[in-house]
Amino acid sequence: MTLNENDKKIILDSIRDIPDYPKPGIIFKDITTLLNNKDAFKLLMDHLELRYKDYNLDYIAGIDSRGFIFGAPLADRLGIGFVPVRKKGKLPSTTICEKYELEYGFDEVEIHLDAFNEQKDARVLLIDDLIATGGTAVASAKLVKDTKVDLVEVCFLMNLDFLKGVPKVEKIAPVYSVLEI
Ligand code: AMP
């Protein structure tokens, strides 16, 4: 179940491009103008609910931090639990972590060891706002799989296709992007 071209355009038009943020040469896709547009936000959430309502999911896992904004309300709409995948040092209980490479240096994402209530084979959807190089999503997908649950799909609102992140994630789980950029 994908979105029709007209609805895609409404959502895409609600996202603002900020050139040279956070550094020269990057065009930052600013979703704050989607979030404060009640019609565009509802259109997106209705679409995600319709797509995933028959996936028999048990949890949505959201990637820090914009994955939380879409993941938590989607979990609530589907009547299932929400699990945050966080940047290192933010989760208070026992965690497992995964390192990934940035342009300069490394970063780490973490998940609580008992995030999915030790429910082996729980059906999980992982979500974030945007995939660029795929580093964050690959590390997050590996973490989810390390907890032994079933990672059913990884969902992005936007795929920056030219950065070729999706094929890296597809080695771990199926990928769905609402908008191809
Ligand atoms: P990456 O690990 O390179 O796939 O980067 C993905 C993460 O960085 C996501 O959590 C995005 O929210 C953020 N990100 C990367 N590039 C952009 C961009 N051009 N606009 C907005 N967010 C971005």
Side-chain angles (χ1 to χ4, degrees):
M1 201 267 149
T2 56
L3 205 55
N4 69 54
E5 292 306 315
N6 190 45
D7 289 349
K8 274 187 192 170
K9 187 174 175 342
I10 293 170
I11 294 173
L12 189 60
D13 288 349
S14 76
I15 298 165
R16 177 165 63 177
D17 281 355
I18 309 285
D20 299 320
Y21 181 89
K23 51 188 180 183
I26 305 276
I27 298 174
F28 192 85
K29 308 301 282 187
D30 177 16
I31 57 154
T32 63
T33 46
L34 159 62
L35 299 172
N36 72 8
N37 177 332
K38 65 178 170 54
D39 298 326
F41 192 19
K42 182 174 187 313
L43 191 59
L44 173 64
M45 294 310 302
D46 284 349
H47 167 59
L48 293 176
E49 181 180 0
L50 200 60
R51 178 177 173 85
Y52 289 112
K53 72 179 171 49
D54 297 323
Y55 270 58
N56 292 319
L57 296 169
D58 296 299
Y59 297 91
I60 308 276
I63 301 177
D64 198 345
S65 62
R66 289 185 290 268
F68 303 168
I69 297 171
F70 305 107
L74 180 59
D76 185 56
R77 279 180 176 223
L78 297 176
I80 60 177
F82 176 78
V83 169
V85 174
R86 298 222 61 183
K87 294 280 165 63
K88 193 174 172 55
K90 302 285 186 186
L91 289 171
S93 189
T94 309
T95 60
I96 48 173
C97 62
E98 185 77 35
K99 231 180 190 178
Y100 61 98
E101 212 171 339
L102 300 171
E103 202 178 343
Y104 302 103
F106 290 88
D107 211 342
E108 275 179 69
V109 280
E110 285 188 317
I111 196 168
H112 273 145
L113 195 55
D114 61 357
F116 303 105
N117 299 305
E118 273 132 50
Q119 206 178 317
K120 304 286 177 225
D121 301 323
R123 289 173 61 81
V124 177
L125 174 78
L126 178 65
I127 190 164
D128 201 2
D129 68 326
L130 182 145
I131 178 164
T133 65
T136 316
V138 165
S140 302
K142 281 184 185 163
L143 266 189
V144 170
K145 292 210 69 154
D146 283 349
T147 64
K148 309 287 181 226
V149 295
D150 182 5
L151 181 57
V152 175
E153 191 158 89
V154 186
C155 173
F156 303 97
L157 168 56
M158 287 171 278
N159 170 27
L160 300 188
D161 190 49
F162 66 100
L163 289 172
K164 303 279 173 253
V166 165
K168 296 177 199 164
V169 183
E170 278 175 338
K171 289 185 181 148
I172 304 172
V175 171
Y176 171 63
S177 310
V178 179
L179 304 172
E180 299 290 336
I181 312 272

